């Protein structure tokens, strides 16, 4: 069979490209060496982040991707577990960053909160633990490990997308892929390798200086409270381009360097989201290498839990721990490379795959199939 588009990679980026092509009525095949998504696409918060994305194309991609997630919630029955995001500021310098952000164009639909309002928004927070906050209405939370299989099933059932799983791709040529299951012929090809830096398009990937980022995450037992939204704190403001580009971020960074240097050295920030069973996903940390070691550090987990405790008090028991890796490149949130006019290499290199994937898929497919 000859396909209009072959997608290498069945993570969220690959599925986003398959969706964009299928919505155009194209014949699509998705190929992946694993039997199910097992990498960064499921080892995450499932948080679609809009507020705090770097201004410009990253922000626009997040806004468009959010729209498509909402469409899919209705079309494919994907569950949105909660919406919105609370940034709980513990320090005046963090509050100053939030005030500057809310005064700008991208913060226009967010709402600044007093300490009492921040505590009232989220049960378990005490007003004396915060100096204020910011509420964004845009964020969506999905359970990634459930959503990806359901999205793949939807693509197969509704759009006749073919999946060839457990099949390794050894080379990419214009109009053909060589696989462990024989050649696959397609008019256009998109390679979405996740954090595989060497199997396909190695030299093209190396050109962008891509490394892997290892993160640590935890699942905590149901704390007996319900989150009204996702929650992040001061440390998170140093990890999103929408905040770090503000003049006020420098004073916050200086204070955090004095007060919690170990957290900064380990790339720790706090995100808390809740699953349908009440358990919390809490993280995370960031360590960079071409091949990170596979070992999780208890000391790093304690840094994450310390940040949780600073807002909520003693955390509930840890019921699961894991590490993940994703592709990371300096100065690039994402890149699309063209080894050939009919082939695209697409990598999200900022850990924002769930937040920007569907817009990137639309852009790539429009480029490949431009009339």
């Amino acid at each position: 069979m000859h396909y209009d588009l072959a997608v290498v990679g069945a993570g969220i980026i690959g599925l986003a490209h398959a969706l964009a092509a299928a919505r155009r009525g194209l014949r699509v095949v998705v190929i992946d060496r694993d039997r199910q998504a097992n990498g960064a696409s499921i080892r995450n918060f499932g948080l679609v982040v809009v507020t705090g994305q770097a201004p410009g194309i990253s922000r626009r991609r997040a806004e468009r991707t959010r729209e498509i997630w909402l469409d899919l919630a209705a079309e494919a029955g994907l569950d949105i577990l909660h919406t919105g995001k609370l940034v709980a500021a513990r320090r005046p310098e963090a509050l100053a960053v939030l005030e500057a952000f809310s005064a700008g164009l991208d913060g226009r639909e967010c709402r600044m909160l007093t300490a009492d309002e921040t505590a009232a928004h989220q049960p378990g927070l005490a007003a004396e633990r915060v100096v204020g906050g910011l509420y964004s209405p845009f964020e969506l939370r999905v359970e990634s490990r459930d959503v990806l299989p359901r999205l793949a099933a939807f693509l197969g059932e509704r759009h006749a997308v073919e999946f060839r799983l457990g099949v390794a791709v050894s080379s990419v040529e214009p109009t053909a892929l060589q696989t462990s299951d024989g050649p696959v012929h397609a008019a256009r090809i998109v390679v979405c390798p996740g954090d595989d830096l060497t199997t396909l398009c190695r030299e093209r990937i190396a050109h962008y200086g891509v490394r892997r980022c290892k993160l640590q995450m935890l699942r905590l037992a149901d704390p007996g409270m319900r989150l009204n939204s996702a929650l992040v704190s001061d440390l998170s403001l140093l990890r999103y381009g929408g905040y770090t580009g503000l003049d006020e971020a420098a004073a916050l960074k200086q204070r955090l360097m004095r007060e919690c240097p170990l957290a900064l050295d380990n790339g720790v920030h706090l995100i808390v989201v809740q699953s349908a069973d009440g358990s919390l996903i809490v993280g995370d940390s960031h360590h960079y290498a071409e091949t990170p070691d596979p070992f999780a550090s208890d000391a790093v987990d304690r840094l994450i839990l310390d940040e949780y405790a600073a807002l909520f008090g003693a955390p509930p028991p840890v019921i699961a721990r894991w590490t993940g890796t994703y592709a990371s490149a300096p100065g690039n949130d994402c890149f699309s490379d063209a080894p050939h006019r009919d082939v695209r290499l697409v990598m999200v290199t900022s850990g924002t795959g769930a937040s920007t994937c569907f817009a990137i898929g639309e852009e790539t497919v429009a480029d490949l199939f431009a009339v």
Side-chain angles (χ1 to χ4, degrees):
M1 181 180 291
H2 193 280
Y3 301 93
D4 298 311
L5 179 68
V7 179
V8 181
I12 191 60
I13 306 302
L15 295 184
H17 284 81
L19 175 68
R23 283 182 163 182
R24 286 176 169 241
L26 300 175
R27 181 176 294 173
V28 181
V29 62
V30 177
I31 307 167
D32 198 292
R33 65 188 178 188
D34 290 327
R35 291 288 180 180
Q36 62 185 20
N38 198 47
S41 294
I42 65 164
R43 304 186 196 191
N44 57 36
F45 296 96
L47 184 60
V48 180
V49 177
V50 176
T51 296
Q53 296 287 356
I57 191 168
S58 293
R59 171 74 184 214
R60 292 193 297 272
R61 284 171 171 163
E63 290 171 346
R64 175 58 182 155
T65 294
R66 178 184 184 273
E67 292 175 358
I68 297 174
W69 275 115
L70 291 173
D71 290 344
L72 289 169
E75 293 176 17
L78 305 185
D79 294 327
I80 305 296
L81 298 182
H82 53 73
T83 62
K85 180 179 70 178
L86 175 67
V87 186
R90 295 175 51 212
R91 299 168 178 84
E93 292 86 349
L95 192 63
V97 172
L98 296 177
E99 288 170 341
F101 176 80
S102 68
L105 187 62
D106 287 343
R108 62 192 182 281
E109 295 183 58
C110 297
R111 181 164 58 95
M112 290 297 302
L113 305 174
T114 65
D116 287 339
E117 289 170 335
T118 302
H121 174 87
Q122 180 50 58
L125 279 181
E128 60 268 22
R129 295 180 183 271
V130 296
V131 296
L134 178 139
Y135 176 73
S136 161
F138 299 112
E139 279 61 38
L140 307 174
R141 152 75 173 139
V142 300
E143 193 75 66
S144 299
R145 61 185 179 180
D146 297 332
V147 161
L148 260 71
R150 290 171 67 178
L151 177 55
F154 168 77
L155 289 170
E157 294 164 5
R158 180 72 64 86
H159 293 289
V161 172
E162 183 178 336
F163 286 84
R164 299 193 185 185
L165 304 179
V167 175
V169 177
S170 57
S171 68
V172 178
E173 304 162 6
T175 75
L177 297 168
Q178 299 303 318
T179 83
S180 57
D181 217 21
V184 175
H185 299 280
R188 308 285 191 277
I189 297 168
V190 177
V191 179
C192 304
D195 70 337
D196 182 345
L197 311 184
T198 57
T199 303
L200 300 173
C201 308
R202 181 181 63 83
E203 292 183 357
R204 311 292 293 211
I205 293 170
H207 172 75
Y208 293 90
V210 182
R211 299 180 296 168
R212 290 186 179 93
C213 175
K214 182 181 82 171
L215 54 88
Q216 291 184 204
M217 297 181 65
L218 309 101
R219 186 179 290 272
L220 308 185
D222 185 346
M225 67 179 184
R226 290 298 174 264
L227 293 186
N228 290 320
S229 64
L231 181 142
V232 303
S233 67
D234 296 11
L235 288 167
S236 301
L237 298 179
L238 299 186
R239 300 208 63 89
Y240 289 94
Y243 306 123
T244 58
L246 300 170
D247 292 342
E248 290 77 4
L252 173 62
K253 184 175 182 179
Q254 289 177 359
R255 179 163 181 179
L256 292 174
M257 289 175 67
R258 293 194 305 270
E259 295 183 356
C260 43
L262 282 178
L264 293 189
D265 287 347
N266 288 278
V268 168
H269 72 136
L270 182 72
I271 301 178
V272 185
V273 297
Q274 193 161 41
S275 295
D277 64 1
S279 64
L280 303 177
I281 296 179
V282 177
D284 59 354
S285 58
H286 299 79
H287 297 91
Y288 301 90
E290 289 191 17
T291 304
D293 68 62
F295 306 110
S297 162
D298 185 61
V300 171
D301 281 352
R302 287 199 302 270
L303 290 171
I304 296 169
L305 292 173
D306 286 348
E307 187 68 10
Y308 176 95
L311 286 171
F312 290 105
V318 176
I319 57 177
R321 306 171 190 262
W322 66 94
T323 62
T325 60
Y326 64 81
S328 176
N332 281 306
D333 286 345
C334 166
F335 67 83
S336 177
D337 191 275
H340 182 272
R341 67 183 181 187
D342 295 328
V343 179
R344 295 294 181 272
L345 164 67
V346 180
M347 298 186 79
V348 174
T349 52
S350 54
T352 59
S355 301
T356 58
C357 58
F358 295 123
I360 292 167
E362 287 184 333
E363 292 168 15
T364 306
V365 170
D367 178 40
L368 280 172
F369 292 91
V371 177

